[in-house]
Amino acid sequence: NAGVTQTPKFQVLKTGQSMTLQCAQDMNHEYMSWYRQDPGMGLRLIHYSVGAGITDQGEVPNGYNVSRSTTEDFPLRLLSAAPSQTSVYFCASSRKGTGHQPQHFGDGTRLSIL
Amino acid sequence: AQTVTQSQPEMSVQEAETVTLSCTYDTSENNYYLFWYKQPPSRQMILVIRQEAYKQQNATENRFSVNFQKAAKSFSLKISDSQLGDTAMYFCAFMNGGATNKLIFGTGTLLAVQP
């Protein structure tokens, strides 16, 4: 059971480049979400999904796009990378039932924008 | 909007001793959940303990326990018999009891366990 798999683990981009951070889970979880972690600020929610075909914005959605075409995958797209998007990105998933169900986190992607 | 505040950026404790990490939150909701997550240097996010707001009894998981004061909106984590492996960043987090799984995190407390 792989859990939540994030790829890549590290990435360096130049300003203006685009890329997609991949997130896949094999637990048939309905809920998936993306967070970013910056020093001194904890984790902040970027986008989330409550099921295939349904996505919504979190606290810091600007500059990011998501889609949920399958239950398993929830990619995060940076359309035009900016230095302010340098961060560690975490994907998480869980079953329905909110707090009763534990969130499973991926190992994170460290992204640097030059 | 809900907020979570951790006022201790860093703490230190001697091995085998007890330490308490503080967390306060603000919400107008009555149905919610509170969590403590541990993030060791490996960067993994590990759930330490969970508390349902409707439960008056404080949650306990082995050496980890919480002091949940609903009226004061306080949710502290007590680590007993601290071990070197407890060295990590600890995040307090809040989740509404609605239809989504959105977590709101505090800024974290870096705990160092000294030998």
Side-chain angles (χ1 to χ4, degrees):
Chain A
N1 191 341
V4 179
T5 302
Q6 288 185 237
T7 55
K9 295 192 184 304
F10 302 94
Q11 185 70 48
V12 179
L13 291 178
K14 294 182 179 179
T15 297
Q17 286 185 316
S18 63
M19 81 159 294
T20 299
L21 306 186
Q22 301 291 346
C23 176
Q25 51 92 8
D26 61 357
M27 298 169 282
N28 203 31
H29 285 170
E30 295 88 353
Y31 294 137
M32 296 186 74
S33 50
W34 277 102
Y35 294 85
R36 60 176 288 173
Q37 182 178 15
D38 301 296
M41 300 189 72
L43 281 75
R44 293 180 293 167
L45 182 65
I46 304 171
H47 286 284
Y48 65 98
S49 169
V50 298
I54 306 169
T55 64
D56 206 345
Q57 296 181 352
E59 182 185 356
V60 287
N62 292 342
Y64 307 95
N65 270 2
V66 292
S67 59
R68 184 94 179 272
S69 56
T70 66
T71 299
E72 295 76 20
D73 300 298
F74 190 45
L76 178 72
R77 297 182 185 86
L78 282 70
L79 304 176
S80 178
S84 61
Q85 294 177 304
T86 293
S87 188
V88 178
Y89 292 85
F90 287 95
C91 179
S93 74
S94 68
R95 289 204 177 279
K96 286 191 293 187
T98 60
H100 291 285
Q101 302 293 336
Q103 296 249 9
H104 297 255
F105 282 85
D107 290 339
T109 295
R110 181 175 294 277
L111 182 63
S112 296
I113 315 294
L114 305 179
Chain B
Q2 292 85 9
T3 58
V4 177
T5 301
Q6 294 179 252
S7 58
Q8 305 154 315
E10 295 184 17
M11 293 194 73
S12 181
V13 64
Q14 292 296 124
E15 201 174 2
E17 293 189 345
T18 295
V19 63
T20 299
L21 309 185
S22 300
C23 173
T24 59
Y25 60 94
D26 188 26
T27 183
S28 58
E29 303 291 331
N30 195 47
N31 179 24
Y32 54 88
Y33 302 85
L34 296 163
F35 307 85
W36 279 97
Y37 280 89
K38 171 186 178 181
Q39 186 179 46
S42 65
R43 207 168 66 193
Q44 286 182 298
M45 292 292 290
I46 302 166
L47 178 63
V48 175
I49 202 165
R50 175 181 62 216
Q51 175 78 44
E52 293 89 338
Y54 61 85
K55 288 187 176 180
Q56 292 189 348
Q57 186 174 5
N58 289 325
T60 299
E61 290 287 343
N62 300 314
R63 297 183 295 107
F64 299 87
S65 61
V66 298
N67 183 3
F68 174 48
Q69 301 289 328
K70 190 172 183 179
K73 296 180 182 174
S74 171
F75 183 61
S76 60
L77 174 69
K78 185 172 80 172
I79 306 174
S80 304
D81 186 25
S82 296
Q83 301 175 359
L84 296 178
D86 295 334
T87 293
M89 181 72 85
Y90 287 83
F91 291 100
C92 179
F94 172 99
M95 179 188 289
N96 255 335
T100 68
N101 61 338
K102 295 188 286 185
L103 282 166
I104 300 169
F105 287 87
T107 52
T109 296
L110 181 60
L111 176 67
V113 179
Q114 306 293 341

